[in-house]
């Protein structure tokens, strides 16, 4: 009987785990999850053209006293590169997804810094 109990508990656990991705997808669709930190990059979807998001990114970095090294944008994509006082590279990449939305990716230095990336994203959102 004990083996059967373990089998039932394992089956119930698997059923619960299998339902989790559906819940997560629903949360994303509802807008509850707006940014994901993956492999050192903070990725998010924002309302606006790449040009507009690049302008907001420049202003956000200037607000944080991060020196903007280069900035370029088109109707399709854009990129902003900055340097902190400790010479950490801040790289913001923007790509158009639809006529009204763009995908943004923020990377700090080689390995990333989630806290700083989220602070920058918050400043960019405030500027849009």
């Amino acid at each position: 009987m004990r083996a059967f109990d373990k089998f039932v508990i394992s089956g119930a656990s698997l059923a619960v785990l299998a339902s989790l991705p559906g819940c997560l997808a629903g949360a994303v669709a509802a807008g509850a999850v707006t940014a994901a930190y993956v492999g050192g990059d903070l990725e998010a979807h924002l309302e606006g053209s790449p040009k507009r998001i690049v302008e907001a990114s420049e202003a956000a970095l200037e607000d944080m006293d991060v020196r903007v090294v280069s900035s370029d944008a088109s109707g399709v994509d854009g990129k902003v590169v900055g340097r902190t006082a400790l010479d950490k590279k801040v790289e913001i990449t923007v790509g158009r997804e639809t006529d009204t939305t763009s995908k943004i990716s923020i990377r700090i230095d080689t390995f990333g810094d989630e806290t700083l990336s989220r602070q920058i994203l918050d400043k960019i959102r405030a500027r849009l």
Side-chain angles (χ1 to χ4, degrees):
M1 211 43 149
R2 287 191 171 146
F4 181 73
D5 291 342
K6 289 180 183 177
F7 179 75
V8 169
I9 291 171
S10 295
S13 297
L14 288 174
V16 169
L17 288 175
S19 69
L20 287 178
C23 292
L24 183 58
V28 171
V33 179
T34 57
Y37 190 74
V38 180
D41 291 328
L42 180 65
E43 299 176 350
H45 301 274
L46 300 174
E47 291 287 325
S49 68
K51 284 185 179 183
R52 187 167 172 227
I53 294 173
V54 164
E55 290 169 0
S57 299
E58 289 174 358
L61 292 180
E62 289 171 2
D63 284 350
M64 299 177 75
D65 292 326
V66 174
R67 181 174 46 95
V68 176
V69 176
S70 67
S71 176
D72 196 18
S74 68
V76 178
D77 56 14
K79 186 174 187 175
V80 179
V81 178
R83 290 277 178 184
T84 68
L86 296 176
D87 205 34
K88 289 184 180 181
K89 183 179 180 181
V90 177
E91 189 170 342
I92 302 169
T93 307
V94 183
R96 188 179 86 189
E97 288 198 320
T98 68
D99 289 340
T100 59
T101 62
S102 297
K103 180 179 178 182
I104 184 171
S105 176
I106 302 171
R107 182 164 195 104
I108 310 298
D109 229 13
T110 305
F111 301 107
D113 180 335
E114 184 174 4
T115 303
L116 182 56
S117 296
R118 288 191 183 279
Q119 290 172 354
I120 292 170
L121 181 59
D122 288 344
K123 294 273 187 183
I124 293 169
R125 282 188 178 140
R127 290 291 191 156
L128 290 175

